[in-house]
Amino acid sequence: MKSPNTFIAYILIGIGTYFLLKEMNIPVLANFYSWPTLLMIIGLILLIHSYKARDYQHLLTGTILFGFGLHFHGLEHYAFWIDHWAIYPFIVGVGFLIRWLKTKEGLWVGILLAGISLMLIFSVQLPSWFHWIYDITALVKNLWPVILIGLGVYLLKKKK
């Protein structure tokens, strides 16, 4: 980050506002006195700082933190909220798409993650000729730790 003092200032203002509102115990905001709100605040601060400082590489991180905070908040407080594992790659895909808007990097990764995630979230309504997707998702669901380890080893061994 080009200007860490402004980032620290945003963090202090955001966290301070959170705890001040928590101490004031405003009934309308009672649902927001939880750890997902802190994730949303930190993500929002990263997004604001990225746009203000024109340092767009932190848009992905800010979007992911804000999205995860929003998702966990929704799970805790709203009965209609979707509780599906494909929400997490969807949030990451949206993060790549938001970063692509400013850096022109990560478009295809974002489209792929968001598209596959949306298809899996609504997979209950897929036509019968898409049943092979269920086999693949069952395999990935069982082997995702091995896939993550393999991806990490690949990234360590990959030549620049």
Side-chain angles (χ1 to χ4, degrees), residues 71 82-92 113-114 116-122:
H71 176 64
I82 297 173
D83 185 15
H84 193 281
W85 65 269
I87 291 292
Y88 304 110
F90 176 74
I91 292 169
V92 174
L113 281 173
I116 290 173
S117 296
L118 283 174
M119 188 169 65
L120 291 172
I121 289 169
F122 298 110

Side-chain angles (χ1 to χ4, degrees), residues 2-24:
K2 294 177 183 174
S3 51
N5 290 338
T6 57
F7 177 71
I8 292 170
Y10 288 144
I11 289 283
L12 291 174
I13 291 168
I15 303 282
T17 303
Y18 169 79
F19 285 112
L20 176 66
L21 291 173
K22 190 173 181 178
E23 287 297 318
M24 293 172 67

Side-chain angles (χ1 to χ4, degrees), residues 2-4 24 33-34 38-39 42 49 70 73 75 78 80 102 104 109 114 128 131 141-142 150 152 154:
K2 294 177 183 174
S3 51
M24 293 172 67
Y33 302 143
S34 62
L38 289 173
L39 275 180
I42 294 170
H49 184 266
L70 184 65
H73 177 78
L75 286 176
Y78 306 116
F80 64 86
K102 289 296 184 179
K104 303 302 182 212
V109 174
S128 62
H131 281 293
K141 190 174 181 182
N142 292 332
Y154 168 75

Side-chain angles (χ1 to χ4, degrees), residues 37-111:
T37 304
L38 289 173
L39 275 180
M40 289 190 294
I41 288 170
I42 294 170
L44 193 61
I45 288 168
L46 276 168
L47 290 170
I48 290 169
H49 184 266
S50 292
Y51 278 106
K52 291 270 188 181
R54 300 191 198 295
D55 184 16
Y56 302 119
Q57 293 303 317
H58 300 288
L59 289 175
L60 176 64
T61 308
T63 305
I64 290 172
L65 286 175
F66 184 78
F68 280 10
L70 184 65
H71 176 64
F72 293 134
H73 177 78
L75 286 176
E76 285 183 17
H77 299 288
Y78 306 116
F80 64 86
W81 203 263
I82 297 173
D83 185 15
H84 193 281
W85 65 269
I87 291 292
Y88 304 110
F90 176 74
I91 292 169
V92 174
V94 168
F96 273 106
L97 292 174
I98 288 175
R99 190 181 83 173
W100 173 79
L101 291 173
K102 289 296 184 179
T103 64
K104 303 302 182 212
E105 296 175 3
L107 173 65
W108 293 110
V109 174
I111 290 173

